[in-house]
Amino acid sequence: MNAPIRMPSLAGAEWLDSAPLGPDELRGRVVLVNFWTFTCINWLRQLPYVRAWSQAYRDDGLVVIGVHTPEFTLEHDLARVRRAAGQYRIDYPIVIDNDYEVWQAFANHYWPALYFVDRNGSIRDTHFGEGRYEQSERVIQRLLGIDREPVDVTGTGVEAAADWATLRTPETYVGAGRSDGFASPGGGFGPRTYQLPERLRLNHWALAGDWDVEAERAVLTKTGGQLAFTFQARDANLVLARGAEPVPFRLLIDGRPPGESHGVDVSADGQGLIDDGRLYQLFRQQGEVGERTLELTFLAPGAEAYVFTFG
């Protein structure tokens, strides 16, 4: 950045489990502002580092502030944000930014985003997306005026780094507003009965059964609907939610249960349950990564599918 820019005020924002932090509370502290939303796989893979930095440098004068700005309607729910904060062991202050006021004040455009603020309240560096972890930690150390070995961080579960060398499938939205690669015969979205094609090419997906495909999600209206995707990646994740009741589902990979390659939200025999609106890890390939076709069958109506992510 050519010239320091003052960190925007967080006045008026709603805080989760923290008193508001304004200029008086932050004076003389180094601040790391992290924009996030709880279904974002890119943020989840960055989180182990942000969490570790908060803990490692708190006594040196670092304050980490997580700004939760939702991407999907389901992420406006405060109870879900609170559960995510507990599930992912976030112990630093969180700003609830449902109206995008903080997002707009920072002129931010990305999840995740990091803003590094010096003791005088000026933004001295930024980083958008995953990666650059050692350099980011060195920025924190420089602003704190210290020099030590970087913290040792290893992400596990959904927080594990992607296998970039074998990843050939991009993030893919299921809702009509940003969908790509849709392959059910007949084309078009809306409330109707869908069918799977005879074959799914790489990076294409399809629906079967009775679905209502809205702008940001596809909603299953009758039991037995299916969602299929041909992909190449070590990990396959899907943001799912439900209506009034939990929705059980079954996962097949290339026509078989996933076995030891099941994700954390699916059993070895392919059984899973949509119990809340969040990211579900369906598959983590054990062994050689290649082209695979996943097929989800939902055993009750009310399933809501939002976006596939891969790693």
Side-chain angles (χ1 to χ4, degrees), residues 15-230:
W15 293 75
L16 182 66
D17 296 336
S18 172
L21 298 178
D24 290 340
E25 291 79 14
L26 296 175
R27 184 173 291 113
R29 309 295 294 274
V30 171
V31 180
L32 177 62
V33 178
N34 181 206
F35 283 88
W36 65 292
T37 190
F38 65 79
T39 67
C40 176
I41 188 60
N42 308 101
W43 167 75
L44 284 165
R45 294 192 294 238
Q46 181 192 74
L47 175 61
Y49 295 87
V50 176
R51 190 170 54 216
W53 297 335
S54 175
Q55 295 167 359
Y57 298 107
R58 185 172 299 162
D59 292 341
D60 299 298
L62 176 68
V63 176
V64 175
I65 297 175
V67 181
H68 186 271
T69 310
E71 179 178 8
F72 300 114
T73 301
L74 69 92
E75 293 167 305
H76 285 74
D77 188 319
L78 185 60
R80 285 179 171 144
V81 180
R82 192 183 299 276
R83 282 196 291 273
Q87 177 183 357
Y88 298 121
R89 308 189 312 281
I90 298 173
D91 61 354
Y92 45 81
I94 296 172
V95 176
I96 303 300
D97 189 33
N98 281 351
D99 296 325
Y100 278 62
E101 293 179 356
V102 181
W103 179 278
Q104 293 169 2
F106 277 78
N108 186 54
H109 300 282
Y110 307 101
W111 296 280
L114 296 173
Y115 291 81
F116 302 81
V117 183
D118 67 17
R119 296 183 189 274
N120 296 317
S122 295
I123 299 173
R124 304 309 298 255
D125 197 7
T126 59
H127 180 68
F128 307 115
E130 298 177 61
R132 206 198 75 159
Y133 298 119
E134 184 172 349
Q135 183 178 344
S136 291
E137 187 170 357
R138 293 301 185 192
V139 171
I140 293 170
Q141 292 186 2
R142 185 174 70 249
L143 295 178
L144 290 170
I146 60 178
D147 184 12
R148 65 177 70 145
E149 287 298 309
V151 294
D152 185 19
V153 178
T154 302
T156 60
V158 296
E159 298 179 3
D163 183 356
W164 300 109
T166 61
L167 178 58
R168 291 182 56 200
T169 300
E171 179 180 60
T172 302
Y173 288 86
V174 176
R178 288 185 282 176
S179 179
D180 193 21
F182 182 62
S184 282
F189 291 116
R192 68 180 180 92
T193 301
Y194 295 82
Q195 294 180 330
L196 299 180
E198 292 185 5
R199 177 178 176 270
L200 270 177
R201 291 182 292 123
L202 179 65
N203 300 341
H204 286 70
W205 63 280
L207 298 169
D210 293 297
W211 295 83
D212 185 2
V213 182
E214 304 171 353
E216 69 172 22
R217 63 181 182 174
V219 181
L220 180 65
T221 56
K222 291 184 180 179
T223 298
Q226 295 177 306
L227 177 55
F229 199 125
T230 297

